[in-house]
Amino acid sequence: MTFLAPGYLLAALAAAAGVVALHFIVTRRPRAVVLPTARFVPEAPVTATTRRLELSDLLLLLVRVLLVLVIGAALARPVFTPDRERVVRVIAADVSGSVARLQEVRDSVRALLRPGDALIAFDTSARVITSVDSLPMSGVRVAGSMSTALAAALRSGSSVRAGADSVELVVVSPLVPDEADRATARLRALWPGRARLVRVAARVDSTPATARVVWPSGADAPPGAITRAKTDTVGAVVASGTVAVTPFERRWVYPADSLRRARVVARWADGDVAAIERDSGAACVRSIAIRVDSTGDIALRPDVARVREALSAPCGGARTSVSPAHDSAIIALVTGKGPLARTAAFPPLGDVASPLARWLLIAAIALAVLELLLRAWRAREVTG
Amino acid sequence: MRRSPRAVGHDEGSYGALLDAVRSLRWRARRASRIAVPGIHPSRVRGTSAEFTEYRAYRQGDDLRRIDWKLFARTDRAHVRISEERAVTPTMIVLDASASMAFPSETLAKWALARQLAVGLAAVAHAGGDPVGLTVAGVPRAALAPRTRRGIVGEMIRMLSEVAPEGTAALAPAVTAAVRSVARVAIVSDFLGDLDDTLKAAREASAAGRDVYAIHVLTPEEIEPPASMSLVADPEDDALRRALGGETRAGYLRAFGAWREETASRWRASGSAYREAIAGAEDVSATVRRIVRDEAAAGARRNSTVS
């Protein structure tokens, strides 16, 4: 067992020591009882120190100390930690359109996966799955995103850090150049150790699918978009690594329903979705919510032209590689050098739930009630 | 005229056993009464009733019809027959209802004993044909003038049921007011209030020929406080708090015991009859019997002396 916030436990230990000290130090003032003949009692100091320790006192002290410790333990959020292994794996399995046969990916993962390992399936997005059988057998037609896989792997490293000393990143992917982008190198640098590449066969496409690009026409919303309640202006749009900085009139928005089973191909400067792409049979349909006037000089600007070109690319979009696309360079980028990553290098997850904490709080409430009852019983014993 | 305790009314309720037990008791005056109304008590007035007590030598002015001629024939000397007259003794019960009487707070045993003693003594006096009244010190609404009517004891019971002991009312004014119109006063109290003033009033009443009875009500907790009492407070003085334990407990027992003896001595020196009544020590009827019979016997012995 370990504590997510051990500082609270240390504070509780200090508080318990204080409770013990106060229990013995504080002078108790007995309750005055009416006696009509009290005037005949000789005058003497009202308070007196007694050294006698009664059983009820010890029981009350024990309950108070337990109460403080249980509250401290609950706030410290204990979690059970599994037996530690020497090495645990984070396996990133490519299930994107880059893979020739997904069964090959599944077989490779099955051979690698052990109890305690984390499994991530990635294409254009990444998700943690619990078993090999959950790997999809059919996926998107476009290439996966290594950046997305690395980001998910970093988070998984934090979740498995409690179970092992080292973490091995295993990437099961054809690792085609299109899967790397500008962020891949930076994200790879965040993984504090070497990785292993299990290469599977890549899909070979003779001709990239042509995208049917639907630009907005007049006041009609593009496919999948709805008119905004209030038209506003935004200063830039980003598409496939290209940026156009100019005031754009923003009239439409893509609701959540439209974004399901769609890929985002362009975003406004504030992060809102500006264009999406959906598979349509062998090709795809690209809906653009960016209105560029054909009149005026905005359309002639080079940055706007690059964005239009990026949005007119074949299905899967256009990606810019880190350096001149070279197979060995990508492999070297992903695998890296040096020892395996130490689990201590991964930050602990801040949102881990502690089921024990809830039971400890219930126990604290029960102890508080018991302390009240004991105190009342002790008071009755004193007054007779 | 004698009254049966059965005629006292229907409210005696919980006092039923006490009233039954004291039904046959008679409370004779300690001193000969100066009142000539016929009753059960010895009177200072010598009369010519049938109850012969003594002979006296004939003096000039005596009624010739009182000369015992048979004795004259035997002795050749003229003697007159003397007999005792009987009189009533109006009685007032003065009850202390100060806060010190409400002890212990859980049972109010002291107040219960005081009430029962007051009712018991009143019932005995009433049964003997004496006018009896009751006054609660410091409670003007709780006062019944001495009466011989049926139900007077029941009225006392009902009145006492509405009185709760509280406050610090003085006892002496009630005693002074009571002795003005009665021949006998019974004071039921713990005497923790204005004892000096009360003794002064009793002394004056006794000197004026009144019978004064002091019934000192106590509880076992006052005589021997339990060990659980470690800090005690006076109910009539908020500022008085004392620690009770070890040496102070021994000091308390000495001081309280000495005070009890001194109080008894002072009451007796004032000419009053003094009795202690301890809650729970004996049946209330036995205490009432002790009060009326012992003093009645002492009174009879005094009155039997030929003047």
Side-chain angles (χ1 to χ4, degrees):
Chain A
M1 182 190 292
T2 186
F3 293 91
L4 298 178
Y8 285 106
L9 194 58
L10 293 173
L13 284 169
V19 166
V20 172
L22 280 174
H23 190 90
F24 289 105
I25 290 172
V26 167
T27 304
R28 285 194 297 270
R29 186 184 178 87
R31 203 164 63 94
V33 180
V34 165
L35 180 66
T37 51
R39 72 193 71 171
F40 298 104
V41 180
E43 291 196 28
V46 173
T47 57
T49 302
T50 174
R51 295 184 185 277
R52 192 178 59 170
L53 206 59
E54 296 179 359
L55 177 61
S56 61
D57 289 347
L58 286 175
L59 199 56
L60 192 59
L61 174 62
L62 182 64
V63 168
R64 285 173 175 167
V65 167
L66 271 176
L67 177 62
V68 170
L69 290 177
V70 166
I71 290 176
L75 292 174
R77 290 193 295 156
V79 288
F80 287 112
T81 54
D83 295 334
R84 291 184 75 84
E85 299 285 341
R86 206 171 65 83
V87 178
V88 69
R89 287 181 180 141
V90 174
I91 302 173
D94 194 339
V95 296
S96 68
S98 305
V99 177
R101 294 185 303 279
L102 289 173
Q103 185 61 45
E104 186 182 358
V105 171
R106 182 180 274 202
D107 294 339
S108 299
V109 170
R110 200 188 300 278
L112 290 164
L113 195 64
R114 299 171 307 186
D117 292 344
L119 177 58
I120 301 165
F122 75 92
D123 42 43
T124 56
S125 63
R127 52 229 176 257
V128 176
I129 55 177
T130 54
S131 71
V132 178
D133 296 326
S134 300
L135 283 171
M137 292 307 294
S138 62
V140 298
R141 288 178 52 82
V142 296
S145 168
M146 187 54 60
S147 298
T148 306
L150 288 171
L154 283 166
R155 185 168 176 80
S156 291
S158 290
S159 68
V160 300
R161 67 189 295 271
D165 297 325
S166 300
V167 186
E168 182 185 23
L169 174 61
V170 180
V171 178
V172 180
S173 170
L175 203 58
V176 298
D178 284 349
E179 291 188 326
D181 55 31
R182 288 178 185 274
T184 302
R186 288 182 190 163
L187 286 165
R188 178 62 185 87
L190 292 176
W191 185 270
R194 71 169 189 272
R196 176 157 45 130
L197 175 65
V198 175
R199 213 147 184 207
V200 296
R203 182 203 298 271
V204 177
D205 287 331
S206 57
T207 309
T210 304
R212 186 168 75 86
V213 183
V214 181
W215 290 91
S217 166
D220 295 336
I226 58 175
T227 307
R228 282 179 179 267
K230 187 178 173 186
T231 300
D232 61 3
T233 306
V234 66
V237 65
V238 179
S240 298
T242 60
V243 180
V245 179
T246 193
F248 286 97
E249 191 183 58
R250 190 162 57 176
R251 292 189 186 181
W252 303 286
V253 65
Y254 290 97
D257 287 346
S258 297
L259 297 178
R260 276 193 213 112
R261 301 188 65 81
R263 290 178 295 283
V264 176
V265 296
R267 290 185 183 272
W268 297 109
D270 61 0
D272 272 5
V273 176
I276 59 173
E277 177 183 289
R278 280 201 200 122
D279 288 335
S280 175
C284 63
V285 174
R286 202 170 286 151
S287 168
I288 314 294
I290 305 167
R291 190 167 182 278
V292 179
D293 281 333
S294 55
T295 58
D297 59 354
I298 291 180
L300 300 175
R301 289 173 50 169
D303 55 349
V304 174
R306 282 196 292 274
V307 167
R308 285 182 71 94
E309 185 184 338
L311 290 174
S312 301
C315 292
R319 285 200 171 85
T320 307
S321 301
V322 174
S323 60
H326 195 280
D327 203 38
S328 59
I330 298 299
I331 293 171
L333 172 67
V334 171
T335 56
K337 290 179 185 175
L340 294 176
R342 306 287 300 170
T343 53
F346 293 91
L349 291 175
D351 59 349
V352 172
S354 171
L356 272 181
R358 180 174 50 195
W359 291 108
L360 286 171
L361 284 173
I362 293 171
I365 292 170
L367 282 170
V369 170
L370 180 61
E371 196 267 349
L372 282 171
L373 292 172
L374 269 177
R375 199 145 34 102
W377 172 61
R378 188 160 151 276
R380 277 200 298 273
E381 292 263 309
V382 168
T383 59
Chain B
M1 187 181 301
R2 298 182 181 190
R3 290 284 185 270
S4 165
R6 292 181 189 279
V8 298
H10 64 281
D11 289 332
E12 57 268 32
S14 57
Y15 292 88
L18 169 64
L19 295 175
D20 276 345
V22 302
R23 185 186 313 162
S24 60
L25 293 177
R26 292 293 174 264
W27 194 2
R28 296 185 184 275
R30 294 168 62 221
R31 307 177 188 197
S33 170
R34 288 182 178 154
I35 300 173
V37 177
I40 68 167
H41 307 282
S43 170
R44 288 175 184 251
V45 176
R46 298 296 188 199
T48 57
S49 71
E51 187 174 350
F52 167 78
T53 54
E54 63 181 354
Y55 285 109
R56 180 173 56 77
Y58 173 81
R59 294 198 285 259
Q60 188 174 4
D62 285 342
D63 188 352
L64 290 175
R65 290 173 292 180
R66 292 172 64 192
I67 294 175
D68 190 326
W69 294 110
K70 288 185 181 173
L71 182 62
F72 177 73
R74 288 201 299 271
T75 63
D76 284 335
R77 288 185 184 164
H79 289 84
V80 295
R81 293 169 64 88
I82 302 296
S83 58
E84 285 188 346
E85 291 290 350
R86 296 292 176 186
V88 296
T89 304
T91 303
M92 181 66 90
I93 313 293
V94 178
L95 183 57
D96 181 3
S98 61
S100 60
M101 295 295 288
F103 183 76
S105 53
E106 296 86 9
T107 61
L108 299 183
K110 192 198 274 191
W111 173 241
L113 174 61
R115 280 191 315 182
Q116 288 183 315
L117 285 171
V119 169
L121 290 171
V124 173
H126 184 260
D130 295 324
V132 63
L134 174 68
T135 182
V136 180
V139 185
R141 59 180 170 81
L144 286 172
R147 293 283 185 272
T148 57
R149 66 169 178 258
R150 282 177 67 156
I152 185 67
V153 177
E155 287 180 41
M156 289 180 184
I157 292 171
R158 280 191 293 276
M159 185 180 76
L160 289 177
S161 68
E162 294 169 7
V163 174
E166 60 186 0
T168 56
L171 203 55
V175 173
T176 303
V179 299
R180 284 195 204 111
S181 58
V182 296
R184 176 166 58 199
V185 173
I187 309 166
V188 184
S189 172
D190 57 5
F191 301 123
L192 292 174
D194 55 336
L195 176 60
D196 292 340
D197 291 340
T198 306
L199 275 168
K200 181 169 178 282
R203 201 177 303 118
E204 289 170 358
S206 187
R210 307 291 193 268
D211 277 353
V212 180
Y213 290 81
I215 294 96
H216 191 176
V217 184
L218 298 157
T219 61
E221 290 86 352
E222 289 171 323
I223 296 171
E224 185 85 38
S228 58
M229 285 188 178
S230 56
L231 180 65
V232 294
D234 190 324
E236 296 180 14
D237 183 357
D238 291 339
L240 197 151
R241 292 190 170 207
R242 301 280 164 82
L244 187 63
E247 289 183 7
T248 58
R249 182 176 291 272
Y252 167 82
L253 294 175
R254 281 194 299 272
F256 186 59
W259 178 79
R260 280 170 65 191
E261 288 177 9
E262 184 192 351
T263 301
S265 171
R266 292 176 71 187
W267 274 108
R268 291 191 179 109
S270 72
S272 308
Y274 174 85
R275 276 285 178 268
E276 277 190 352
I278 302 174
E282 61 179 349
D283 194 72
V284 180
S285 59
T287 308
V288 171
R289 188 174 296 114
R290 201 157 41 84
I291 293 169
V292 305
R293 278 192 176 168
D294 285 354
E295 294 309 323
R301 283 194 293 275
R302 281 194 293 275
N303 291 332
S304 69
T305 303
V306 175
S307 63

